Amino acid sequence: MATRFSLPHIDISAFVTSTDYAGQGGGGSSSTRIRQAHGARLLNELNAALTASDLDRVLDDRLPPPTGTYIEVELQRRTKPDGLDLKTKGIKSTAVQDVPEGRLIALYVPDHARVALTAILNDYRAGPLTPAGKPPQSAKVEPIEAFRRARLETLWTDDPAALPADPQHQMWWAIWTERSNEQALDSTCERLGLRAAAVDRRLYFPEVAVVPVWATRAAIELMMFATGVIGELRRATDNPVFFMDDVREAQHDWSDDLASRIEWPGTEVPAVCLLDTGVNRGHALLEPAIGPDDLHTYDSDWGSDDHEGHGTAMAGIALHGDLVAQLADTEVRILRHRLESVKLLPPHGADASNPNSYGPITQAAVAIAEIAAVERFRIYCMAITNDGVSGAHPSTWSAAIDQAAAGTMIGDDDDDDDGAPRRLFVLSTGNTEPVLRMAEWLGQDAYPAEDPSQAWNAVTIGGYTELSTVTDAGYEDWSPLAEVGSLSPHSRTSVGWLPGRSPFKPELVLEAGNRAVSPGRNDILTVDSLCLLSTGREVDRLPLVPFDATSAATAQGARIAARIAADHPEYWPEMIRALMVHSAEYTDKMRSAFNAQPGLRERYALVRRFGYGVPDFERATASARDQVALIAQSEIQPFRLQGQRKFNECHYYELPLPTEILEQLGNEQIDLKVTLSYFVDPNPGFSANVDPQRYQSFGLRFDLRRKGETIDAFKRRVNASEREDPRIGGMAHADDSRWLLGPDSISAGSLHCDTWSGPAIDLLGRDRLCIKPVGGWWRDRARPKVVNRKSRYALVVTLKARRVDIDLHTPISIAVQQPVEIDVPL
């Protein structure tokens, strides 16, 4: 709720003093009257401007009370815009505009500094002349023509005609803010429910960060009148069109400039291994991060160079992300991962691979890369799919990827629980058909995610979009097909897969670009302004190219995984996948879709479109003040052969929930999120198509102690060995309906994620979490040594307050010890 907020205005008459004064040079009396009149007028205008700004202030219960205000200052032409700045007092000029009347600046005045600004004017008006015969503070005051109440137009430095008049008009605003204010701006956006662009889309200069924010004019005005984080405002229109059209002939210069600002990685860092069409490493933005020995090919007759351009564009995104912002700013960029490439697709003219051989070919590519650099940790990235073949059921290709991930492919030491390598694969859902007529557009659900996106152990990436501004020449009146925060038109879904028999795919969505629709809504086109920008294969001619669809999204996903691995070399692939998924959040559009579907079954279909949301590297690697991440990497032996085949153990975790804080929060809404990640050894076959437990070697589930449930009752409910008679089922204890998806959502897949949302007080006593096994072919059909095999899992739990001013980090940090699982017979 927002209400008007005002400070008592300052009565400037209290600052006017009278003293004897002797004019100098015969003309002092006239000069005195002039400066007194000028000073008095400015004092009156300043007081009026501050008073009006106070009335504009908004006290919003989502934001701290305002501590300063903007005013508009009109200066004489060519006056230094920072003449009124007082750094020690926090008075600072921000937006500067040259207008016919002179020069306009936005001046931010903290409340405590109003006296200082008024004193400058009073000193000029009535203070004694300097030895040079000039009024005191004349350099600051005399260029001032007027003080006025600040408006949004005061901060707007773009084309005046582009500033929307409608308060509810939504667009991407480029908010220029001091580097020291970037965190405060992010906090303000979070409090107001506004979407600030990810770090990769921001521009950085020595003193300024430029942050795109998706908001209405009314929300930006609220931010202006309630905070001091805005330096100036423009449209956020940076996109590949500038590099493809405006500076097309100078692309090499822009690429070389960015290359000179990059701190390149060494060889002892994680790599993204691209399984694609090869990479042209002779590119200024790629060569230092991919050596000649990092270029491989499945067939030596193919060569390792990129024959088509797809692999090189994947490389640019996997290494740097979208290049638009990075090319345009002056920031030093530090890379902590590198690239590898295994050419998996034959060049034009060569015999195409048999789709039935894709599985062995992929595993061979994995072996080629690992033999070349045995000790290197790598993330496998593959945006190749089996065109037109649905991933509704396990295939030889998806099973081969699951084998490679679990460390059970040929050549792996699968008899050694500790020695078998685990691998993380980042895959694509595949792309929809790029139809050109609106009448032919059937929507994303009409295009099932393609083989091998169904691989259980992989992270499958779909696409969403935040790109909405069409600026291509001749298409300025076209509009975006998808709304900001919605599923990208390029992205396939698994809505059409059989529920209960197939995993939720994709797990994540990342920027995949948008498409443009003609004014008459008859035609659809892919345009450069709705794409990302990456590295091009034709280095001599066009080193920068637009790139989009789920390939671009998949490359971004692999980049996030590699950056997590670089920051945390101790994390397993299972944990990296868990952190990526756990960091994901739904956009406003996605949340609205969930809110409109109170039924769990309907929500499952939404997960098959959006996955678990949009991941964020910063969230994945750091625990914010209001969100504490508890993690565990553990081994578990699901089954044992002891006379007969049976379950072996489960793990209990005691969660350090801050009891006092939860009691104080009462009915404040809070979110408890749980993500469980493990890799299964696949067993594809006829029965695996209808029964997930026939495909998986084992499965894991998590169960949270329920409200009002004693610890003993909780253990008896989840674990038969805790009961006096294991043959009798545990006493039922009703759970609440506050889980986003609920336990029935888990039937297939090796990654499970759900969020409990409700009043903080309802989490009291729910401080136990059980990780327990479910059936699989290891138990039922494997040889004795396999039945007793151990496996691994990664667990991430976060507790997040909806209000960002609530500190959960401190009490949990004090209470928490490294979570220790308790092995209990099951």
Side-chain angles (χ1 to χ4, degrees), residues 393-394 501 683-692 694-695 781:
H393 303 292
R501 299 181 186 178
N683 184 30
F686 296 110
S687 59
N689 290 337
V690 296
D691 185 359
R694 297 296 183 93
Y695 181 80
R781 297 196 299 281

Side-chain angles (χ1 to χ4, degrees), residues 607-780:
V607 179
R608 293 187 178 278
R609 293 188 183 100
F610 309 135
Y612 298 101
V614 182
D616 180 83
F617 170 71
E618 280 71 26
R619 281 197 300 269
T621 57
S623 178
R625 186 171 177 269
D626 64 325
Q627 180 171 312
V628 185
L630 306 170
I631 66 169
Q633 298 185 132
S634 300
E635 279 194 339
I636 190 169
Q637 183 181 328
F639 315 116
R640 71 179 185 271
L641 182 59
Q642 210 172 50
Q644 52 185 313
R645 299 165 184 258
K646 59 180 68 176
F647 289 110
N648 182 57
E649 64 180 357
C650 68
H651 292 174
Y652 296 123
Y653 288 91
E654 182 176 354
L655 304 179
L657 302 182
T659 302
E660 292 184 6
I661 299 295
L662 294 177
E663 289 175 340
Q664 292 170 12
L665 291 176
N667 288 320
E668 288 281 353
Q669 291 294 298
I670 204 163
D671 299 319
L672 178 75
K673 189 173 185 179
V674 182
T675 302
L676 177 63
S677 170
Y678 55 98
F679 291 164
V680 301
D681 184 8
N683 184 30
F686 296 110
S687 59
N689 290 337
V690 296
D691 185 359
Q693 292 198 16
R694 297 296 183 93
Y695 181 80
Q696 64 189 20
S697 49
F698 70 100
L700 294 177
R701 303 290 185 264
F702 62 81
D703 202 327
L704 183 69
R705 182 183 169 192
R706 296 173 182 176
K707 184 178 180 180
E709 189 175 36
T710 67
I711 294 176
D712 288 342
F714 166 64
K715 291 182 176 181
R716 288 194 298 270
R717 178 173 59 81
V718 300
N719 185 354
S721 71
E722 301 275 2
R723 306 168 199 152
E724 292 184 7
D725 186 348
R727 295 169 298 177
I728 300 176
M731 183 174 294
H733 192 106
D735 198 1
D736 54 34
S737 57
R738 298 189 181 279
W739 291 97
L740 179 66
L741 301 175
D744 291 342
S745 66
I746 303 174
S747 57
S750 60
L751 184 138
H752 314 303
C753 179
D754 206 352
T755 301
W756 181 95
S757 301
I761 197 75
D762 283 0
L763 272 183
L764 287 174
R766 305 192 67 178
D767 57 353
R768 293 295 192 279
L769 186 73
C770 177
I771 305 299
K772 57 185 180 181
V774 296
W777 67 266
W778 276 3
R779 175 187 176 181
D780 300 326

